[in-house]
Amino acid sequence: MAANVSPVDIKPDVKKTVNDFDSFKVALAEDLTDENVIELATVFNYPPAIKEKLETSASAGRLMIRYMEERGQIEPTSILTLLCALNKMDLLGIEKRVRKLYEEHTGILCSSEDQSKAQIEEKKNKFNKYSKIAYQKQYGTAKPFPSMNERSVDRIFVEGGIYYVAQKGDSKQTPDVLESLESYNEILSSPKTDSKRKIIEGEPGYGKSTIGLQFLHDWCTKNPTSPLKDVKILIYLQLRQLVGVKSIYTAIKNFIVPKDEDMDEACIQEILRVYKESVVMIFDSYDEYPDKNETETDISFIIEMKMFQDSIVMILTRTLCLPPNLHPETKSIRLTGFGVAERRNYVLKVVDRNNDQLADWIEEQLQRNPVLKDLCQVPLLFTMVAHTVHKSQNIEVFNSLTRFFKYLIACFHNHMKSKKGATNEVPAVETKLAKLYRIAFEGLTQRKQQLTWKTTYLVSELGQEFYDYYIDLGMLAQEEVFDISQCIHLIEARMSHKIICEFYASNHLAWILSEDNRALTYRYLQEDQGNVGKSSLHWIYQEIYTSGYSRMDMIFPSAVNVKPL
C-alpha cells in the first residue's frame, strides 16, 4: 500500500533530495549483491526464465530494480513489499540499510504502517526460527520401536491406509462410510477434507504421531509437494505435556520459544493475530491430554472453533477418545493401518533397502500365522516384528497378544545384552517388573491420567540400576515437561508408547483379578466411584478391552475367563 506524502513526512535535513527516487534505485542496485538478487527473485516467485536472466546478467542489481519497479514491489512512495521480503529472508541488516537509503534519497520517512508491518514480519521470522529448531529436534529423533537408533522421520515414514469419514454410522449395523485418500497430503489439500478443523483418528500404534512429525518435517524443509509449503506459521504441541496449562500462548512460549529469548506471550499473541489466516496448528496426543475434561482452556476453545476460527487445526487422537462439542464443520480422517503393500514398503525403505527376499519372506510368515498377521496391521507392532526378524531371521507362532509382547520385550533385552557384551551383566528385572506394572496401572486409572513420572519417583520405586537400564533399553523415555505451578521445566520419564503402558497395566490388572486377590478386586470396585461413574477397575478394563483387540486372552496373561464388567 502506498504511503501518502505530506510535509511532515519529509525529513528536514534531506529536503534537497525530495522525490529523487531514481537516485535511490541507483544506490539500491549497487547495494544488492548477486546472491541477494537471486534470493529476492525466489521470495517474489519470479518465473525461471527471469531468474536465469538475473543469474547471467553482468548487472543483476540494476535488472532486479527494473523487475521490482515493473511489478510494483518498489514505488516512489512506498517500498513496503521490498522491506517485508528482506525481513522474510532474515536480512535485517540490509533491510535497515535499504530503509535508510530510501529515506535519505527521497526524503520520505517510511510510514508507521510500513514500519509496523516490517516489525511484525521480523517478529514472525524470529518465531519461525525458534519453531524450526524445536521441531527439527522432534522430527529428527524419531524411531519406530524402542531399541532402534533415532532417525529423521522422513526416513521411516510409510503411509498406511488413510480414509476420510464421509458419513458417520450410528451402530454396528450401520458403520461409518469411509472414502480413501491417496496420500497424507490430501488431509490438507483434498476438497473432501476442506475444513478449518480436522480430526486424525486411529487405534493405538497406527501412526498418528508419525504423521504429525512428517507434517513438521515438510513445513520446516519447505517440501515443494506439501500443502504446508506456503503456510506462514505452524504450531505443534504435545497435549500430554500441558498439565494445567490453560493458555495457548503460555504453551507456545514454554515449548517452542527458547528459555533465554525475550519473546513474551503478548508478542506471540500479536504474531498469531496478524497471520491467523496462514496458521496451522497440530495438537498431538489428545487422548493423553490431562485436561481434556476441562472446558475453560484455550485448547478446548480452539477445538470447538471459539478461537482461531480462520486457522486450520488438526487434532490427533484415538478413535474412541474424540473431543466433545466438536464444531459441525469438523472433518474426520481415519488411519486404518498396514496392509500387504504398506508392510512391504516399510521393509524395503527402512529395514533392509531393496531386499525383496526379506520382504517376501516376512509376508509369507505372516500369512501362515493368522494372529500375528492381524497384529501386524498395527504399524507400531509390524515395525517391531520387522526389525526383530531382521536380526534373528526367525518368527515365532503366537496365539495371543500377551505372548507376542513378551517375545518382543525378550528380544529387546537380548539385543541390549549383545550391545553391552557377554561379560557385562544386566540387572535382574523380574523382581522390579511387578512395581512397574503397578505404576503403569495406577497412572492409567487416575481421573487425570498420569503418563509421565518424576525421575526421582521411578528411581525410588525401581532402583537406579533398573531405571537406567530401561532408559537404555528404550522402554522408558525421558522428555521435558512444563510445571505451570512452579513455572519451570522438568525432565520426567514416560513409557515409550502408551500401548506399552497399557500392556504393563494389564499385567497388574490380571494379578488383581486372579483368584488369590478377590478382596483386592472388591476394594478397587468400590473405589473412585466419582470417576465419571466408573471405578478404576471398570475404567482400565474398558480402556484395554476397547483398544482395538477383541479377544480377552490376547490381553490378559492369567485372566482368560474374565467377563466384561
Side-chain angles (χ1 to χ4, degrees), residues 302-334:
I302 292 170
I303 291 174
E304 296 172 20
M305 213 183 280
K306 296 177 181 177
M307 290 177 64
F308 292 98
Q309 295 178 350
D310 297 319
S311 304
I312 292 176
V313 179
M314 294 187 284
I315 304 102
L316 281 53
T317 186
R318 290 189 176 192
T319 302
L320 295 173
C321 190
L322 301 180
N325 304 320
L326 286 174
H327 192 275
E329 288 187 12
T330 303
K331 303 293 186 182
S332 293
I333 296 91
R334 186 168 300 165

Side-chain angles (χ1 to χ4, degrees), residues 45-92:
N45 291 315
Y46 284 3
I50 289 182
K51 292 177 69 174
E52 185 177 350
K53 288 181 181 179
L54 291 168
E55 289 172 347
T56 57
S57 174
S59 55
R62 292 182 186 178
L63 187 57
M64 186 66 189
I65 297 300
R66 193 188 89 191
Y67 287 137
M68 287 194 293
E69 189 171 16
E70 288 175 352
R71 288 161 173 76
Q73 291 156 344
I74 56 172
E75 300 175 295
T77 54
S78 176
I79 57 168
L80 172 61
T81 304
L82 173 61
L83 295 178
C84 289
L86 293 171
N87 267 286
K88 187 174 184 178
M89 295 158 55
D90 288 331
L91 298 176
L92 304 184

Side-chain angles (χ1 to χ4, degrees), residues 95-161:
E95 184 269 334
K96 291 178 181 177
R97 198 160 64 245
V98 169
R99 183 193 297 272
K100 185 177 180 182
L101 281 174
Y102 177 74
E103 292 178 345
E104 288 178 345
H105 282 267
T106 67
I108 302 174
L109 292 173
C110 290
S111 69
S112 57
E113 179 185 8
D114 286 359
Q115 290 178 350
S116 63
K117 287 185 177 180
Q119 288 169 355
I120 191 64
E121 182 83 8
E122 180 180 350
K123 292 176 183 178
K124 185 263 293 180
N125 289 338
K126 285 179 64 177
F127 178 74
N128 281 346
K129 178 183 176 182
Y130 303 150
S131 299
K132 289 178 180 179
I133 292 173
Y135 299 160
Q136 285 167 357
K137 181 179 179 181
Q138 292 173 295
Y139 74 71
T141 56
K143 51 183 181 179
F145 74 102
S147 61
M148 183 179 178
N149 293 331
E150 295 173 342
R151 301 184 186 181
S152 179
V153 70
D154 60 302
R155 294 179 58 195
I156 67 170
F157 178 62
V158 172
E159 294 185 71

Side-chain angles (χ1 to χ4, degrees), residues 200-212 316-318 335:
I200 302 178
E201 58 181 78
E203 302 297 344
Y206 272 63
K208 300 180 293 294
S209 293
T210 305
I211 276 189
L316 281 53
T317 186
R318 290 189 176 192
L335 307 185

Side-chain angles (χ1 to χ4, degrees), residues 165 167-178 334:
V165 181
Q167 183 177 339
K168 283 282 188 182
D170 54 15
S171 68
K172 291 183 179 179
Q173 285 72 34
T174 55
D176 296 340
V177 177
L178 305 180
R334 186 168 300 165

Side-chain angles (χ1 to χ4, degrees), residues 283-294:
F283 294 157
D284 195 5
S285 64
Y286 175 83
D287 50 295
E288 301 179 38
Y289 180 35
D291 296 337
K292 60 177 171 283
N293 294 323
E294 301 288 337

Side-chain angles (χ1 to χ4, degrees), residues 217-413:
H217 172 272
D218 291 347
W219 181 75
C220 289
T221 59
K222 295 185 177 179
N223 184 339
T225 66
S226 172
L228 293 170
K229 64 180 183 297
D230 296 322
V231 167
K232 301 293 186 185
I233 297 173
L234 182 69
I235 303 296
Y236 175 85
L237 293 171
Q238 280 281 5
L239 297 188
R240 67 169 181 256
Q241 297 175 327
L242 305 185
V243 183
V245 181
K246 294 185 179 297
S247 166
I248 184 70
Y249 309 110
T250 301
I252 293 170
K253 163 70 176 173
N254 287 283
F255 285 97
I256 295 178
V257 178
K259 301 179 183 67
D260 58 346
E261 295 292 341
D262 60 358
M263 181 174 286
D264 59 18
E265 293 179 26
C267 180
I268 295 169
Q269 185 172 3
E270 180 188 19
I271 295 169
L272 294 181
R273 176 182 56 79
V274 171
Y275 293 98
K276 59 186 177 182
E277 294 183 359
S278 188
V279 171
V280 172
M281 296 184 176
I282 302 176
F283 294 157
D284 195 5
S285 64
Y286 175 83
D287 50 295
E288 301 179 38
Y289 180 35
D291 296 337
K292 60 177 171 283
N293 294 323
E294 301 288 337
T295 58
E296 299 298 317
T297 67
D298 284 356
I299 298 297
S300 175
F301 294 148
I302 292 170
I303 291 174
E304 296 172 20
M305 213 183 280
K306 296 177 181 177
M307 290 177 64
F308 292 98
Q309 295 178 350
D310 297 319
S311 304
I312 292 176
V313 179
M314 294 187 284
I315 304 102
L316 281 53
T317 186
R318 290 189 176 192
T319 302
L320 295 173
C321 190
L322 301 180
N325 304 320
L326 286 174
H327 192 275
E329 288 187 12
T330 303
K331 303 293 186 182
S332 293
I333 296 91
R334 186 168 300 165
L335 307 185
T336 59
F338 277 0
V340 175
E342 292 81 12
R343 293 195 289 262
R344 183 180 185 82
N345 290 343
Y346 184 85
V347 173
L348 297 181
K349 177 179 179 178
V350 184
V351 180
D352 196 342
R353 188 177 296 274
N354 300 323
N355 190 340
D356 292 278
Q357 290 183 333
L358 176 63
D360 292 340
W361 182 79
I362 291 177
E363 192 59 39
E364 181 182 335
Q365 300 307 307
L366 296 184
Q367 297 300 329
R368 293 179 177 179
N369 192 337
V371 171
L372 188 58
K373 177 186 172 184
D374 289 344
L375 294 177
C376 285
Q377 181 181 339
V378 182
L380 175 69
L381 302 186
F382 176 74
T383 61
M384 292 181 177
V385 169
H387 289 279
T388 300
V389 168
H390 184 232
K391 295 179 183 298
S392 65
Q393 295 296 312
N394 179 48
I395 294 182
E396 285 195 16
V397 176
F398 303 101
N399 56 14
S400 72
L401 180 61
T402 298
R403 179 71 193 103
F404 171 75
F405 266 109
K406 286 184 175 180
Y407 169 77
L408 286 178
I409 292 172
C411 289
F412 297 155
H413 285 294

